[in-house]
Amino acid sequence: MEVVLKNYPRLLEGALLTLEVTLFSVAIGCIIGLFMGLLRLSGAKPLRLLARVYIDFFRGTPLLVQIFIIYYGLPIPQWFRGGQALLTAHFNVPDFISSYMLPVFLSGVIACSLNSGAYIAEIFRAGVQSIEKGQVEAARSLGMTSSQAMRFVVLPQAFKRVVPPLGNEFIAMLKDTSLLSVIGFAELLRQGQLLVGHYYVAFPIYLAVAFIYLIMTFSFSRLVDFTERRLKTGD
Amino acid sequence: MIRVEGLHKGFGRLKVLNGIDCHVSPREVVVVIGPSGSGKSTFLRCINMLEEPTAGKISIDGVSLLDPKTNINSVRAEVGMVFQRFNLFPHKTALENICLAPLKVKNISKGDAESLGHSLLKKVGLSDKANVYPDQLSGGQQQRVAIARALAMQPKVMLFDEPTSALDPEMVGEVLAVMKDLAREGMTMVVVTHEMGFAREVGDRVIFMDEGLIVEEGTPDELFLEPRNNRLKSFLSKIL
Ligand SMILES: Nc1ncnc2c1ncn2[C@@H]1O[C@H](COP(=O)(O)OP(=O)(O)O)[C@@H](O)[C@H]1O
Ligand SMILES: [Mg+2]
């Protein structure tokens, strides 16, 4: 127990990194997901197929495998060194920015964004498809193009409906980033492992780790519930 | 105004329209009746290309809809449509529902759109509902907003697909009243409805459709008082 009390700042540091990597990944995942979700619904068959392949690959393979492929497969350390050299040569980069550039962080964000993007694409697709056909027909009958109907009529309604599943995706991703511990990314679980390796006690430390995850997921799911209620009354 | 010749429409193997010929003159009000499934909605939806005809010709004001060079969006902007289930945009207020298409399709200014919107709301008797969302309006009020929304594009023709059949009986009158005003102002209208009172009061012509064909047409009195076709007779005996 004292181990936890003495070292909790380490765990909180890890929790902060967990939050950061999750936020980045889900935010980028939303952009990828919106794009891929719309491709999936597009009229052009090759585009639909492209989106299909992407979505099926990232949903149909384990995230851990995707992390390994990206961490070991892409020359991210080289990019990193190149980018860092460029930055330090031209700018006075504060430390906290260059820490984001750590290769593990980059690999983690890339892997998690791609993975999240595939799930979010399906969330957006379902959201768009849940809007009644009559809405598009009304918009088209007024002379709007199909992209105007999408932008002004379908998407604003679909966005409200995707808030709860997006919240769930965020929570799922928050937990799944613990997989990044295997490539040595110093997120919450990794910090716990390091402490366990140092002090040779596991139970209280992992319990504390679990508790911190729980606090994060619980507060976030309350936030989602709250937003959901707000959106309902705002209709 | 509207010329339809040899219009066919099928969904896969199901043949819904089997050769419709129909001309609608400017300022004419044509009422379409017929049993459920006879293709009335499909016919209307072909007129603004919400359904793509399998064969035939349709032109509005001389512009052929099936010509690949025709910009279908600009044709639709001139053909208003009112749906059975209103199809208002639920995330927009009554005023925003009306202003959206003029703003985005015609690119008129916000001020102009809003004054147009207010004058149309006044026309349909809903001046006080400008900032209300559709879910706070009754069915009859929603349908009147939907009519105003279609009128905002200043269409040459208005199509109505059973505009009162999703309404509670006490709200039918207010919607029909708006439509009658429109007819008296000289709007060209094609109306699918089983409201015989409306047909006789403002209809210039009634068309009876059955199994994807126009089986009989004439003035309201001719069709309702002296029907010749047997299927029309039995149809009328069911709805009157
Ligand atoms: N999108 C569609 N796909 C397949 N069948 C359709 C579609 N729309 C209409 N139909 C069929 O076409 C027929 C005529 O429908 P409709 O035009 O709605 O008739 P009405 O409006 O006279 O009741 C019906 O049998 C209906 O099931
Ligand atoms: Mg119908």
Side-chain angles (χ1 to χ4, degrees):
Chain A
M1 204 56 211
E2 304 107 71
V3 183
V4 171
L5 289 176
K6 218 172 87 195
N7 292 286
Y8 77 92
R10 293 279 301 274
L11 293 180
L12 292 186
E13 241 169 68
L16 191 65
L17 274 178
T18 292
L19 269 179
E20 282 171 7
V21 80
T22 308
L23 274 171
F24 274 112
S25 300
V26 175
I28 299 170
C30 278
I31 298 167
I32 301 175
L34 180 59
F35 183 71
M36 286 294 174
L38 290 178
L39 282 195
R40 181 90 163 69
L41 294 166
S42 91
K45 214 168 186 171
L47 297 181
R48 271 207 312 271
L49 190 72
L50 177 80
R52 195 63 204 261
V53 168
Y54 163 75
I55 292 167
D56 285 350
F57 178 80
F58 282 96
R59 293 188 352 142
T61 55
L63 176 56
L64 188 55
V65 175
Q66 295 161 19
I67 292 170
F68 282 154
I69 291 176
I70 282 160
Y71 182 65
Y72 295 108
L74 295 183
I76 287 172
Q78 281 94 300
W79 297 351
F80 169 65
R81 275 195 293 277
Q84 202 182 35
L86 210 75
L87 283 176
T88 44
H90 295 281
F91 308 100
N92 186 9
V93 189
D95 253 3
F96 76 94
I97 291 187
S98 57
S99 74
Y100 282 128
M101 297 289 171
L102 283 171
V104 275
F105 186 85
L106 273 184
S107 311
V109 168
I110 293 172
C112 291
S113 305
L114 287 171
N115 180 272
S116 205
Y119 285 93
I120 293 174
E122 286 294 272
I123 291 174
F124 277 127
R125 182 189 60 76
V128 165
Q129 284 182 331
S130 75
I131 306 300
E132 299 133 68
K133 252 178 65 196
Q135 292 289 307
V136 176
E137 291 184 345
R140 298 305 302 270
S141 79
L142 292 162
M144 285 187 224
T145 62
S146 60
S147 64
Q148 285 175 324
M150 189 54 97
R151 261 171 66 203
F152 303 124
V153 175
V154 177
L155 286 182
Q157 296 182 59
F159 279 134
K160 284 189 179 181
R161 298 200 188 169
V162 301
V163 166
L166 275 184
N168 291 337
E169 170 58 21
F170 185 90
I171 291 168
M173 192 37 76
L174 190 94
K175 293 182 287 178
D176 285 350
T177 55
S178 59
L179 291 170
L180 295 174
S181 59
V182 296
I183 57 169
F185 178 59
E187 46 68 67
L188 179 53
L189 177 60
R190 179 71 185 156
Q191 294 286 10
Q193 284 177 326
L194 291 174
L195 289 180
V196 171
H198 194 267
Y199 292 99
Y200 297 106
V201 278
F203 183 68
I205 293 174
Y206 285 137
L207 205 61
V209 165
F211 185 66
I212 297 174
Y213 274 116
L214 189 64
I215 290 173
M216 292 194 286
T217 54
F218 183 78
S219 18
F220 200 77
S221 72
R222 283 294 84 88
L223 187 68
V224 173
D225 287 350
F226 175 76
T227 335
E228 199 181 340
R229 275 200 305 277
R230 283 290 298 271
L231 286 175
K232 268 213 185 95
T233 53
D235 255 347
Chain B
M1 174 69 60
I2 307 176
R3 296 180 86 80
V4 177
E5 282 164 28
L7 175 63
H8 287 257
K9 171 68 188 174
F11 295 103
R13 288 167 62 211
L14 178 71
K15 302 221 174 339
V16 177
L17 300 179
N18 301 307
I20 303 265
D21 294 292
C22 172
H23 296 182
V24 181
S25 316
R27 306 176 73 85
E28 196 181 10
V29 176
V30 175
V31 172
V32 181
I33 61 173
S36 163
S38 58
K40 307 178 298 294
S41 298
T42 307
F43 172 49
L44 273 198
R45 293 159 59 82
C46 283
I47 298 178
N48 69 358
M49 295 287 278
L50 284 180
E51 303 290 356
E52 195 160 339
T54 318
K57 288 185 190 152
I58 305 175
S59 67
I60 292 174
D61 243 6
V63 178
S64 165
L65 302 198
L66 291 152
D67 185 337
K69 288 197 288 284
T70 302
N71 178 349
I72 195 61
N73 294 318
S74 45
V75 174
R76 286 198 186 117
E78 304 195 317
V79 180
M81 181 142 191
V82 174
F83 300 86
Q84 185 173 357
R85 306 217 52 90
F86 331 133
N87 297 357
L88 287 181
F89 307 134
H91 59 304
K92 302 219 171 270
T93 62
L95 185 66
E96 289 167 346
N97 263 277
I98 298 171
C99 294
L100 183 65
L103 280 172
K104 304 301 179 189
V105 177
K106 287 192 166 171
N107 289 314
I108 71 173
S109 74
K110 194 152 188 267
D112 288 351
E114 285 185 356
S115 59
L116 173 69
H118 283 294
S119 71
L120 285 167
L121 279 171
K122 188 162 166 230
K123 188 185 173 88
V124 298
L126 293 171
S127 298
D128 53 332
K129 301 292 185 192
N131 299 315
V132 172
Y133 286 90
D135 63 357
Q136 283 154 342
L137 295 171
S138 72
Q141 292 170 332
Q142 288 190 50
Q143 194 60 299
R144 285 187 281 156
V145 173
I147 294 173
R149 177 178 69 176
L151 291 175
M153 292 301 286
Q154 281 145 344
K156 294 176 183 163
V157 183
M158 286 282 283
L159 309 174
F160 294 83
D161 191 0
E162 304 204 35
T164 57
S165 59
L167 298 177
D168 292 336
E170 73 270 21
M171 293 172 187
V172 169
E174 65 194 52
V175 172
L176 291 179
V178 169
M179 292 166 62
K180 286 175 194 168
D181 283 346
L182 213 53
R184 292 196 191 98
E185 286 166 19
M187 176 62 80
T188 309
M189 296 165 58
V190 182
V191 185
V192 176
T193 186
H194 294 150
E195 295 292 335
M196 297 303 153
F198 174 86
R200 297 181 67 166
E201 202 176 324
V202 297
D204 296 305
R205 187 152 47 107
V206 177
I207 288 175
F208 173 63
M209 279 182 66
D210 193 33
E211 295 181 351
L213 284 170
I214 294 179
V215 180
E216 191 163 334
E217 64 182 303
T219 64
D221 282 349
E222 282 167 1
L223 252 81
F224 297 146
L225 303 179
E226 299 151 36
R228 283 164 290 151
N229 180 285
N230 281 333
R231 281 180 297 184
L232 173 56
K233 283 180 197 162
S234 80
F235 174 72
L236 289 174
S237 69
K238 275 179 222 140
I239 61 165
L240 289 179

